[in-house]
Amino acid sequence: MAKPFFRLQKFLRRTQFLLFFLTAAYLMAGSLLLLQRSHLVIQQGTRGTSNIQVSPVSDMVIGVGILDTRAMQNPHLNSKLLVDMDVLHDPTSDQRYGPRWLMSRNSELRQLRRRWFHRFINEQEPMQAMGSKVMQHTGENKGTYVGCFSDDSREKTLKGAVFYDLRKMTVSHCQEACAERAYTYAGLEYGAECYCGNKLPVTIAKQEECNNECKGEKGSICGGVNRLSVYRVEELRAGAKRRRNVIYRGCFRAPENLTVTFPASLIQSNLTVEMCSEFCSKKEFPLAVIGGPECYCGYPTMHFTLHDSMDRLFCSRLQNVSSMAEVPREENYYHVYQTPVQDTRCTDRKFLTTKSKVFVALSSFPGAGNTWARHLIEHATGYYTGSYYFDGTLYNKGFKGEKDHWRSRRTICVKTHESGKREIEMFDSAILLIRNPYKSLMAEFNRKCAGHLGYATDRNWKSKEWPDFVNSYASWWASHVLDWLKYGKHLFVIHYEDLKQNLIPKLKEMVEFLNMTVTEDRLLCVENNRDGNFKRSGARQKDFEPFTQEMKDLINSYILTVDEALKRRNLTGLPREYVPR
């Protein structure tokens, strides 16, 4: 009896071992297959991507909470909930965190990551020995190809204007942009970056080292890794409107020592604005100062701030003077013009060398000027700002922090439109930017319909989409501020209107809140470049009122609620102009 039992026990043990072995073999085979497929995908992805692109892409693909700004959800909050803050944040009553919202958010995340992942893994094969093709394609461009140069990041010569375009950069596009700004040379790098200037780089590189194909033009060369394909664009300047970007700044009293304040000067009879502006542009100065036959070039400084303009009549008496000997000594007023050249004293930016110990948010409702505030902060501090989202349009305009993971702590602050306890408590402190809801709603509606710089059409404003947008987004404007007032750990509240009216003092306060120091000359440079690349050209006047009385009643109730909440925190209430009369 014992013998058959022993055989059965032995058989079961063998079977158990065999099952264990087969299971382990199955798991190992599956893992090897998965690794092999992953290896193939990575090879395909890195085959056409330069080193400078690989790291940001990996952050995008595996990042947590990275969203396209157009994919953000609209919180639909009942206006009655805004009165009671405890009810406002009750998870059972907040629809933003419901199952449907999470499913939609996760679906959009997957689609966004898949779209960006496939975009980069399908990059073209790296080109070999493309330098010889450069000269073959220069005939298609209006400028003259000069050569391949090394790009020294410490001593840039083509630094007058910089912009990026990861999808549509071409040689002609870069040349035309530099010609419009009155520059002589255009340099292209990494296949997507354009640099302008009036001086050639010092170090010549081998022709084959400029081997990156332009992102928007197959067969054309746009530099390489730390290599510039440089073109002379003088041929384009003859057809360009030279005075298109020359802006009159006003009449100002000249400083005591003109030669110290203004590094370059020209004295010529019958001097015109065009002559002085062109002279200063070639010298790469943003200001052209004209008085009679005298032309001076320079920057805004503490000795010449451009803050106290005079009546234009003070300068008119010098316009028809042919010799400074005819000018009385007390007549020291000059016309000042802004040349097409960019003030480069504050355009250099970089990532933080060491990770920031304080995680700072730059929070605002969409359409409240967050991008403009980032432009000011970056140019004042010299460090990039980050973003909770990824916006390729912003990256193309020079916001390189867009590609950096928002939790990297390599940026000075992080843009966010998020609200809610969990999202807010992730940050140690925050700059809370608030703008008039009427202006914010219109700006965000323009962006949703026509992009960052476009305008919604009359058809958009008169459609059913506009009232639906106001009903949902107006409550979000209020809940966003209330959430940050309740859960924000260390807040600095600033109103968009105050920043616009008193730029230098308010920007100083923002920089101090970020524990940074900045020179007065750099602040004046920021003021000289205050608009940045994302200012809509003028305000389009409508022949109708976009806000109905019902909309105004709704928005005004939210304004009063937010105003009371600010005052309860011993903060300055909302400006009176927020409520229309």
Side-chain angles (χ1 to χ4, degrees):
M1 185 71 183
K3 195 171 185 180
F5 179 79
F6 177 77
R7 288 180 178 176
L8 178 61
Q9 186 179 23
K10 188 176 182 181
F11 173 77
L12 291 174
R13 286 180 178 176
R14 287 180 177 177
T15 304
Q16 184 179 10
F17 177 79
L18 182 62
L19 288 173
F20 175 79
F21 177 80
L22 290 174
T23 303
Y26 176 81
L27 293 173
M28 290 177 64
S31 300
L32 288 173
L33 182 61
L34 181 62
L35 288 173
Q36 184 180 11
R37 289 181 178 179
S38 301
H39 180 66
L40 289 173
V41 171
I42 293 173
Q43 280 186 333
Q44 294 173 3
T46 57
R47 189 173 297 167
T49 309
S50 63
N51 292 336
I52 195 170
Q53 295 170 335
V54 172
S55 177
V57 173
S58 62
D59 286 341
M60 278 194 299
V61 174
I62 64 175
V64 179
I66 300 178
L67 289 171
D68 190 290
T69 53
R70 293 175 178 82
M72 294 178 61
Q73 297 299 313
N74 304 343
H76 301 282
L77 296 179
N78 192 309
S79 59
K80 295 180 180 179
L81 297 180
L82 298 176
V83 180
D84 188 351
M85 290 295 292
D86 293 329
V87 177
L88 177 65
H89 300 286
D90 185 356
T92 61
S93 63
D94 197 341
Q95 298 179 13
R96 287 175 296 174
Y97 306 108
R100 291 184 180 178
W101 182 85
L102 288 174
M103 289 174 64
S104 175
R105 184 186 180 103
N106 291 335
S107 174
E108 287 173 350
L109 270 173
R110 287 194 298 270
Q111 292 176 9
L112 180 65
R113 291 170 182 169
R114 190 181 299 114
R115 183 167 66 251
W116 275 101
F117 183 75
H118 285 292
R119 178 182 297 173
F120 280 91
I121 67 172
N122 291 328
E123 287 283 332
Q124 62 271 20
E125 295 282 341
M127 296 177 292
Q128 301 295 329
M130 290 293 288
S132 60
K133 295 184 180 181
V134 175
M135 300 307 294
Q136 298 176 12
H137 293 280
T138 53
E140 302 173 8
N141 304 301
K142 298 179 182 178
T144 303
Y145 179 72
V146 178
C148 183
F149 293 83
S150 177
D151 182 25
D152 189 346
S153 58
R154 292 173 298 179
E155 220 30 73
K156 279 185 176 293
T157 53
L158 299 181
K159 60 180 181 179
V162 181
F163 66 97
Y164 314 86
D165 197 326
L166 290 177
R167 292 180 296 173
K168 300 179 181 179
M169 180 61 73
T170 66
V171 175
S172 296
H173 181 37
C174 180
Q175 290 180 16
E176 290 169 1
C178 294
E180 286 178 0
R181 294 164 174 81
Y183 288 107
T184 305
Y185 297 102
L188 297 107
E189 188 172 359
Y190 292 113
E193 301 182 2
C194 176
Y195 299 85
C196 307
N198 288 330
K199 298 178 183 178
L200 282 173
V202 177
T203 308
I204 300 176
K206 295 179 180 179
Q207 196 62 54
E208 57 268 20
E209 292 178 5
C210 285
N211 55 14
N212 280 16
E213 192 175 45
C214 300
K215 297 295 183 181
E217 186 178 18
K218 290 185 178 180
S220 294
I221 307 303
C222 287
V225 179
N226 293 324
R227 295 295 182 268
L228 285 163
S229 295
V230 180
Y231 294 81
R232 187 179 183 89
V233 297
E234 276 190 335
E235 291 93 320
L236 296 175
R237 298 176 66 182
K241 296 180 181 179
R242 298 184 182 181
R243 287 199 62 183
R244 182 171 62 178
N245 293 324
V246 177
I247 303 171
Y248 182 66
R249 296 294 300 272
C251 175
F252 294 88
R253 182 190 294 272
E256 293 183 1
N257 195 330
L258 288 172
T259 56
V260 173
T261 306
F262 304 118
S265 61
L266 170 70
I267 299 179
Q268 185 172 330
S269 59
N270 300 320
L271 184 70
T272 64
V273 174
E274 291 88 344
M275 294 166 60
C276 184
S277 175
E278 186 175 356
F279 172 76
C280 294
S281 295
K282 287 183 178 180
K283 297 292 184 180
E284 297 193 15
F285 289 106
L287 295 184
V289 182
I290 305 174
E294 290 187 339
C295 171
Y296 296 94
C297 311
Y299 303 99
T301 64
M302 289 302 297
H303 301 290
F304 195 65
T305 61
L306 299 183
H307 288 164
D308 301 316
S309 62
M310 309 295 293
D311 191 297
R312 194 163 182 168
L313 293 174
F314 284 90
C315 296
S316 62
R317 284 172 288 180
L318 294 177
Q319 289 178 344
N320 299 319
V321 177
S322 59
S323 172
M324 286 308 293
E326 304 174 21
V327 181
R329 178 166 295 184
E330 62 270 13
E331 300 287 351
N332 56 350
Y333 298 98
Y334 290 80
H335 290 291
V336 178
Y337 293 85
Q338 183 90 33
T339 72
V341 175
Q342 187 178 18
D343 192 337
T344 58
R345 295 174 299 167
C346 57
T347 54
D348 57 309
R349 289 160 290 166
K350 60 183 179 180
F351 290 101
L352 295 172
T353 53
T354 58
K355 290 187 176 181
S356 174
K357 296 180 181 178
V358 182
F359 197 28
V360 185
L362 177 60
S363 178
S364 73
F365 175 78
N370 199 301
T371 301
W372 180 54
R374 290 176 66 186
H375 162 77
L376 297 175
I377 291 171
E378 287 191 3
H379 285 74
T381 64
Y383 293 105
Y384 288 117
T385 59
S387 177
Y388 187 76
Y389 320 98
F390 174 77
D391 191 328
T393 307
L394 292 177
Y395 179 82
N396 288 343
K397 291 295 184 178
F399 290 92
K400 284 193 173 182
E402 282 289 322
K403 261 195 173 183
D404 208 51
H405 192 276
W406 65 280
R407 276 184 167 171
S408 69
R409 292 180 180 258
R410 297 199 311 152
T411 54
I412 194 168
C413 62
V414 176
K415 164 192 172 179
T416 180
H417 300 310
E418 301 295 309
S419 54
K421 181 178 180 181
R422 183 176 65 85
E423 286 78 3
I424 293 172
E425 290 183 345
M426 291 187 298
F427 295 95
D428 300 319
S429 60
I431 296 174
L432 179 59
L433 181 63
I434 305 174
R435 187 183 184 185
N436 187 325
Y438 288 94
K439 301 291 186 181
S440 295
L441 290 170
M442 293 178 68
E444 178 60 8
F445 190 70
N446 278 323
R447 189 200 65 80
K448 286 178 69 69
C449 294
H452 285 282
L453 300 178
Y455 288 90
T457 64
D458 289 350
R459 184 177 179 181
N460 295 132
W461 293 105
K462 295 177 181 179
S463 68
K464 189 177 182 298
E465 182 182 5
W466 169 239
D468 290 344
F469 176 86
V470 172
N471 288 334
S472 60
Y473 273 66
S475 61
W476 184 10
W477 176 86
S479 66
H480 179 272
V481 178
L482 297 175
D483 281 3
W484 281 90
L485 290 177
K486 182 172 184 180
Y487 298 118
K489 299 173 186 177
H490 183 207
L491 284 182
F492 175 74
V493 178
I494 186 166
H495 299 289
Y496 172 91
E497 292 76 16
D498 292 341
L499 182 61
K500 188 175 181 180
Q501 187 174 359
N502 303 300
L503 180 64
I504 295 296
K506 293 300 178 182
L507 186 55
K508 274 185 179 180
E509 294 178 13
M510 294 171 68
V511 171
E512 289 174 2
F513 181 81
L514 294 169
N515 293 320
M516 300 292 294
T517 56
V518 61
T519 63
E520 292 292 336
D521 282 350
R522 191 169 184 111
L523 286 173
L524 290 170
C525 171
V526 177
E527 186 180 38
N528 210 32
N529 296 329
R530 63 185 297 156
D531 290 337
N533 294 322
F534 275 92
K535 177 180 173 59
R536 288 186 172 89
S537 56
R540 292 191 177 180
Q541 299 295 330
K542 301 177 182 58
D543 56 0
F544 62 94
E545 172 58 55
F547 295 97
T548 64
Q549 189 57 48
E550 183 181 0
M551 293 179 188
K552 291 181 180 180
D553 293 339
L554 177 67
I555 296 171
N556 291 345
S557 66
Y558 291 140
I559 290 175
L560 294 175
T561 302
V562 171
D563 184 65
E564 293 174 1
L566 287 168
K567 291 177 179 177
R568 283 199 299 268
R569 286 282 300 264
N570 295 322
L571 297 169
T572 304
L574 297 176
R576 293 189 62 192
E577 66 186 61
Y578 278 27
V579 179
R581 289 161 177 76

